[in-house]
Amino acid sequence: MKTPLQARRPPRRWALLSLLAATWWLAAPPAAAQDPAAANAGAPPEPPPAAQAAPPASAPQADSAPSADGAPQAADSPPQDDGAPQAGAPAADGAGAPPSGGGGAAPEAGQRADRSPARRDRPGATSSRATPSKKRRGDVNPCMTPDPGWGVYDRWSRAPSIGQMIMPHKGGVTKRGGFDVIIHFHGHEALRKEFVKTADGAVLVGIDLGIGSGAYSSAFSAPYVFENLLDSIERAVAKKTGKKKVYVRKLGLSAWSAGYGAIEQILRQPAGKRVDALVLLDSLHAGYADEHQRKLKVAQIEPFIAFARRAAAGEAFMFMSHSSILPPGYASTSETANFIVQQLRGKPRGSSRRDVLGLDMIQRFDRGDFHVRGYTGDDKPDHCAHLGLMADVMRVHLKPRWKTPKGRR
């Protein structure tokens, strides 16, 4: 005879179903795992790979030629896009902007949602807007341009204390051991593609330190860092050429995007007095002392203003380009360029010209050896395209100025 408890026991089929339900529940992944958005909530965004960063810039420039006034002018070269990453290219994060920290692209981890006052003091992206990619002349992606080869240069060497360098296979040094060098910050491989198109003797050093001008500013805040870098370059050239004594004859600094952070520090140091040429490719930002009135923190760009005065007087060379990208919370490259022109009591004049990689020039300013070029464009490819200007800067300005000894294969 069954007891009342036994009478209420469920049939075996219900026990089996209960067991299967429990097994399924234990094996099922947690809700966050099923929903990628939920799983990633609260996790800091990952910065884009360095490969996505800076573009090699440049397409064939068959029609490239200096304009009547000697300003660089290149024909419809291929532009870069905000698309596929390219190995060795500088990272231009965001909608085509320079890295964060002080001159660049995407904000650093944890800063995408909220830009703190510190970030505004050290501007970091060139653009805050993710505009859809537009069709560009020549259908070339300025962030991923074709490789023109190496010209008279050897491949990258890790000889410098920071970064890497290329120098001619042979030559490029005077009988007394003097050689010329350009040190470029941010986007070394993209810049190299432009550099070798017209350079044939000067040494190129490329330095990439990540996203944000803060990384560059911190790395070169101590004067000995830059001094050690110059020493290591001289040792590398001496070893390559077999000369017992070599020295830097002409020194140029170049930056794209966030790279200006390093140059700001160097220009404030004793070794900064050795700099003869400065090239800023859509690369100078500043914080706002008053954002509503758009008053710049002038102290941040004082070294550049001083150098511009030297260039305007013919004592040095300076080239600045700017896009029309409007970053959030800090001054754009067009604002800083126009401010520097104002400090020289000058005023940019309108211009209408097609330039490299789909760039369209809208204004310019020239005084002595100080040159400013302003362009339309407010997306990532437009930002990348400014690297394409380096080939003509070398050909039109620096080669005639420096008269660098030619190298050869």
Side-chain angles (χ1 to χ4, degrees), residues 361-399:
M361 187 187 297
I362 52 175
Q363 67 176 28
R364 62 186 296 166
F365 177 80
D366 301 276
R367 178 174 296 174
D369 286 324
F370 175 55
H371 309 280
V372 179
R373 300 290 180 267
Y375 296 89
T376 61
D378 60 359
D379 61 8
K380 179 176 179 178
D382 292 317
H383 180 48
C384 291
H386 284 250
L387 285 157
L389 298 169
M390 190 63 179
D392 278 345
V393 170
M394 287 297 302
R395 178 177 60 82
V396 176
H397 297 290
L398 291 185
K399 287 181 66 175

Side-chain angles (χ1 to χ4, degrees), residues 137-150:
R137 292 195 301 272
D139 290 331
V140 178
N141 179 351
C143 300
M144 221 179 346
T145 55
D147 193 330
W150 295 79

Side-chain angles (χ1 to χ4, degrees), residues 204-229:
L204 172 66
V205 176
I207 298 175
D208 278 277
L209 298 177
I211 297 172
S213 66
Y216 292 91
S217 179
S218 298
F220 285 86
S221 59
Y224 74 85
V225 175
F226 185 62
E227 293 168 358
N228 289 347
L229 173 61

Side-chain angles (χ1 to χ4, degrees), residues 165-328:
M165 63 184 279
I166 59 172
M167 62 179 297
H169 184 64
K170 296 179 181 178
V173 182
T174 67
K175 292 181 180 180
R176 298 179 59 186
F179 66 95
D180 303 336
V181 60
I182 290 181
I183 302 176
H184 177 78
F185 300 94
H186 206 66
H188 72 281
E189 177 62 9
L191 195 283
R192 187 273 302 174
K193 292 182 179 181
E194 299 306 316
F195 180 83
V196 299
K197 289 178 180 178
T198 54
D200 56 9
V203 172
L204 172 66
V205 176
I207 298 175
D208 278 277
L209 298 177
I211 297 172
S213 66
Y216 292 91
S217 179
S218 298
F220 285 86
S221 59
Y224 74 85
V225 175
F226 185 62
E227 293 168 358
N228 289 347
L229 173 61
L230 294 179
D231 289 342
S232 69
I233 296 170
E234 290 179 340
R235 288 195 299 270
V237 173
K239 182 178 180 180
K240 171 77 173 176
T241 60
K243 292 181 176 291
K244 292 183 178 180
K245 183 178 180 181
V246 298
Y247 63 96
V248 174
R249 191 183 69 146
K250 296 293 184 180
L251 173 61
L253 301 181
S254 171
W256 173 77
S257 196
Y260 74 88
I263 295 179
E264 177 192 345
Q265 295 299 320
I266 293 168
L267 292 180
R268 297 181 187 276
Q269 299 165 5
K273 293 181 173 59
R274 300 180 60 182
V275 178
D276 177 72
L278 189 58
V279 180
L280 298 172
L281 304 173
D282 203 21
S283 179
L284 182 59
H285 293 277
Y288 284 127
D290 187 325
E291 185 174 347
H292 296 292
Q293 297 185 27
R294 306 187 79 81
K295 290 184 177 180
L296 307 188
K297 290 188 174 180
V298 180
Q300 293 179 351
I301 59 174
E302 280 179 345
F304 300 97
I305 297 173
F307 201 94
R309 289 196 173 106
R310 288 183 55 207
E315 300 170 3
F317 169 81
M318 183 172 178
F319 177 92
M320 297 182 70
S321 71
H322 68 80
S323 64
S324 295
I325 296 172
L326 299 176

